[in-house]
Amino acid sequence: MSQKNLKEYWQKNIRIVLILLSVWFLVSYVLSIFIVDVLNNFSIGGAKLGFWFAQQGSIYVFIVLIFYYVQYMNKLDKKYDVHE
């Protein structure tokens, strides 16, 4: 792999990591802590929405982010021919 391709590969990798970490931060901290009072005006499955995000929603989102990252990196690895 050339230096240019290697640099592009890592830039794309770091970009997706930063995007996914931003989504995780938004869900885990902003929705679960900072605006929980606003979300508690709504309910999901009988629980207040802010409580649900703090207890379960952020975990579900985190799992989805992991699966998305795996799929994205598999495609990126094949594109730059660094797959197993």
Side-chain angles (χ1 to χ4, degrees), residues 6-82:
L6 184 62
K7 187 175 181 178
E8 283 179 24
Y9 173 79
W10 282 108
Q11 285 176 342
K12 289 182 180 185
N13 185 358
I14 297 300
R15 188 182 84 231
I16 194 66
V17 167
L18 291 175
I19 290 169
L20 295 178
L21 282 173
S22 298
V23 171
W24 172 77
F25 176 80
L26 175 75
V27 171
S28 297
Y29 288 99
V30 176
L31 294 181
S32 300
I33 297 172
F34 298 128
I35 63 170
V36 69
D37 294 329
V38 175
L39 292 176
N40 279 338
N41 292 324
F42 307 97
S43 65
I44 184 169
K48 294 181 178 181
L49 188 59
F51 176 79
W52 185 84
F53 266 110
Q55 297 301 315
Q56 296 176 353
S58 59
I59 295 170
Y60 293 147
V61 170
F62 187 66
I63 291 170
V64 169
L65 292 176
I66 290 171
F67 282 105
Y68 179 79
Y69 178 74
V70 168
Q71 293 291 356
Y72 181 85
M73 287 308 297
N74 283 338
K75 290 178 185 176
L76 193 65
D77 288 350
K78 287 179 184 175
K79 179 180 177 181
Y80 287 94
D81 196 28
V82 292

